[in-house]
Amino acid sequence: HLSKKFIKKDGSEFWALQDINFELRRGDSLGIIGPNGSGKSTLLKLLSGILKPTTGTITFYGTSASVLDIGTGFHPELTGRENIYLNGAILGMSKAEITTQFDQIVDFAGNQISQFLDTPVKRYSSGMYVRLGFAISAHLNPEILIVDEVLAVGDADFQKKSLGKMKEVAANEKTILFVSHNLTAVSNLCNKTLHLEKGKVKQMGDTSQVLKNYMSEVQSKKMFYSAESFSKGLGNELIRLKYAEI
């Protein structure tokens, strides 16, 4: 069972994940949902090899590619063009294989990338990072694609293209692990969903049933904010919030 422990500055332990255990088959698309701080991104970093688990093991059968935090997998001093070849080499592809996919990658990433293809990626905006990172990973034919909130960055057109590309990847009997707060996207893409809460598995199973339970739970919870006084409320000299309930 997979677990990940961090040590805080004061020396205390924090378990970001505990007793995570699941198995996917070729062609499965797994949505990973849960509130902020539930361990979703930590799980993907473990699966991507960026972090090592405190306990447990991870077994992959096939090549994997990841689109995680902005800049993950890029060398900041290299150009966009050079990073395409670097990422392909990391995935075990030959230069000829990468060249075959090169034009499709650049076209998918969009005009903004093609105009600055020979610029070091350290000068790219966050949106450009994600556009290029997703375009590279999705077009280099990995057998397992790991994606963290790519739909949260970029314009509506790129989000639509990204979701369409992931559907295409899934249709080719590839496996996808997809973290998102966009439940509609999870519903459209994933046949299975994992719901994490406080680092533990709350539920896992058929996407429609897991999302139904998750939404029911979210709707039953009330969130509120209350300040001791108006002067201590969130805001500035023009407007302040004393109380809010959702």
Side-chain angles (χ1 to χ4, degrees):
H1 288 211
L2 200 64
S3 298
K4 179 61 182 177
K5 177 178 68 176
F6 293 98
I7 304 298
K8 296 181 180 180
K9 289 183 179 179
D10 62 4
S12 61
E13 296 180 349
F14 170 68
W15 288 90
L17 289 172
Q18 285 186 286
D19 298 325
I20 307 298
N21 186 36
F22 63 86
E23 179 179 314
L24 296 176
R25 298 186 180 276
R26 182 185 295 274
D28 278 341
S29 294
L30 177 69
I32 303 173
I33 63 172
N36 290 333
S38 59
K40 303 185 299 298
S41 293
T42 300
L43 176 58
L44 290 201
K45 288 177 181 177
L46 289 171
L47 294 172
S48 301
I50 295 171
L51 297 176
K52 291 185 178 181
T54 305
T55 63
T57 57
I58 300 166
T59 303
F60 278 148
Y61 297 97
T63 59
S64 66
S66 305
V67 187
L68 304 181
D69 293 341
I70 292 167
T72 301
F74 285 120
H75 190 299
E77 300 295 335
L78 297 181
T79 66
R81 184 187 304 275
E82 291 165 335
N83 270 291
I84 291 174
Y85 282 93
L86 174 64
N87 276 261
I90 291 171
L91 281 171
M93 299 180 70
S94 69
K95 187 174 181 179
E97 288 173 320
I98 301 167
T99 300
T100 301
Q101 297 284 342
F102 187 88
D103 288 344
Q104 293 181 46
I105 292 170
V106 176
D107 181 62
F108 186 93
N111 292 334
Q112 197 176 24
I113 296 297
S114 62
Q115 291 173 8
F116 297 97
L117 199 57
D118 294 305
T119 300
V121 297
K122 67 181 180 181
R123 305 193 187 283
Y124 283 15
S125 68
S126 58
M128 291 171 70
Y129 260 119
V130 171
R131 279 175 175 271
L132 184 58
F134 182 82
I136 292 170
S137 296
H139 284 82
L140 293 183
N141 298 319
E143 285 149 317
I144 302 162
L145 181 60
I146 301 170
V147 183
D148 188 0
E149 279 294 5
V150 69
L151 300 181
V153 180
D155 54 32
D157 179 59
F158 179 71
Q159 293 177 15
K160 184 178 179 180
K161 282 169 61 177
S162 299
L163 187 57
K165 186 62 182 177
M166 285 192 283
K167 284 184 176 181
E168 182 185 317
V169 170
N172 289 326
E173 289 295 299
K174 305 297 174 67
T175 301
I176 294 176
L177 294 98
F178 176 46
V179 161
S180 183
H181 289 287
N182 186 332
L183 301 186
T184 301
V186 172
S187 178
N188 288 337
L189 177 68
C190 304
N191 65 316
K192 296 181 179 179
T193 295
L194 170 66
H195 173 195
L196 291 176
E197 188 170 293
K198 296 180 180 178
K200 296 182 179 180
V201 176
K202 180 85 173 184
Q203 54 180 330
M204 179 172 171
D206 177 74
T207 291
S208 60
Q209 188 59 52
V210 172
L211 292 185
K212 180 181 178 181
N213 295 341
Y214 180 70
M215 287 305 299
S216 177
E217 182 179 307
V218 169
Q219 290 169 359
S220 68
K221 291 180 179 179
K222 282 188 175 181
M223 295 181 287
F224 71 93
Y225 166 82
S226 180
E228 292 180 15
S229 65
F230 183 78
S231 62
K232 293 183 179 180
L234 294 172
N236 54 37
E237 64 275 7
L238 297 176
I239 185 170
R240 290 195 180 277
L241 179 66
K242 187 175 186 302
Y243 181 85
E245 182 175 304
I246 301 175

